[in-house]
Amino acid sequence: MTSPVRIVPVYCDRDRYRDLLLLADEQWDMIELYLHRGEMFAAYTEDEPCVKADSSLVPDRALGCMIVTDEGVDGRGLRIAEVKSLAVAPSHQRRGVGRALLEFAAARHAPTHDVLRVGTGDSPLTVPFYEACGFTRSHVLPNFFIDNYDHPIVEAGVQLKDMVILERCL
């Protein structure tokens, strides 16, 4: 694990996280569909120096970030919070940053939501990560990446076609 992680809300200048967000979703117009619709959080090391942004000081380099939206109540009567984007800088991947962000989202939304949901490509990299974080497969959205992206999305040598929806009870 990296040194202790501090997770903070991001209220403005979300575009400054563009490079990180594009690691999780490589088409910017898809990110823009949820960029300002949910809560955004960024992870930093405890000792990250701050820089001036707008009228406040903010940490300089994020280790990772995520956007979580309120998706309302589903057909089962369960209130859903959805992680729309979870991105970790390549130099900090496999060090617990992504897990820390997911645990933060679960703790933050447990008082008001029943389920934390995430949608991802059926990739040998991402699905096992979410399963190791306590998520289980719920359902599949067939051809999501084929129908919604303007180019093929390839991860770990696999072209992504379907979106796998995973859920974790809160």
Side-chain angles (χ1 to χ4, degrees), residues 4-162:
V5 174
R6 179 169 41 106
I7 298 172
V8 299
V10 176
Y11 297 112
C12 58
D13 291 335
R14 290 181 176 194
D15 287 351
R16 83 183 195 108
Y17 297 89
R18 180 184 178 113
D19 289 344
L20 266 178
L21 291 167
L22 285 168
L23 293 173
D25 189 339
E26 61 186 66
Q27 191 166 305
W28 187 249
D29 66 337
M30 293 296 284
I31 295 169
E32 287 180 318
L33 295 174
Y34 55 80
L35 181 63
H36 298 287
R37 190 165 69 82
E39 294 180 291
M40 185 172 186
F41 302 95
Y44 296 92
T45 59
E46 285 290 346
D47 56 352
E48 181 65 30
C50 292
V51 296
K52 183 87 168 157
D54 290 334
S55 61
S56 62
L57 288 175
V58 297
D60 189 21
R61 288 172 299 189
L63 306 176
C65 64
M66 72 176 166
I67 297 172
V68 183
T69 59
D70 178 348
E71 296 300 312
V73 177
D74 71 2
R76 301 168 293 181
L78 301 174
R79 186 147 195 112
I80 307 295
E82 185 168 339
V83 177
K84 291 290 192 182
S85 184
L86 174 67
V88 175
S91 61
H92 289 87
Q93 290 175 359
R94 304 190 67 79
R95 295 184 181 185
V97 176
R99 183 181 293 270
L101 283 162
L102 287 174
E103 292 303 323
F104 178 88
R108 181 173 182 90
H109 292 90
T112 56
H113 292 77
D114 303 301
V115 172
L116 185 61
R117 175 184 289 167
V118 64
T120 189
D122 197 1
S123 160
L125 296 178
T126 54
V127 172
F129 164 72
Y130 287 112
E131 290 174 335
C133 291
F135 289 79
T136 57
R137 290 175 187 248
S138 169
H139 59 281
V140 171
L141 300 177
N143 294 320
F144 180 86
F145 293 98
I146 303 296
D147 296 341
N148 291 287
Y149 285 79
D150 62 12
H151 63 283
I153 308 291
V154 177
E155 189 173 297
V158 176
Q159 181 178 349
L160 304 182
K161 296 176 183 167
D162 303 333

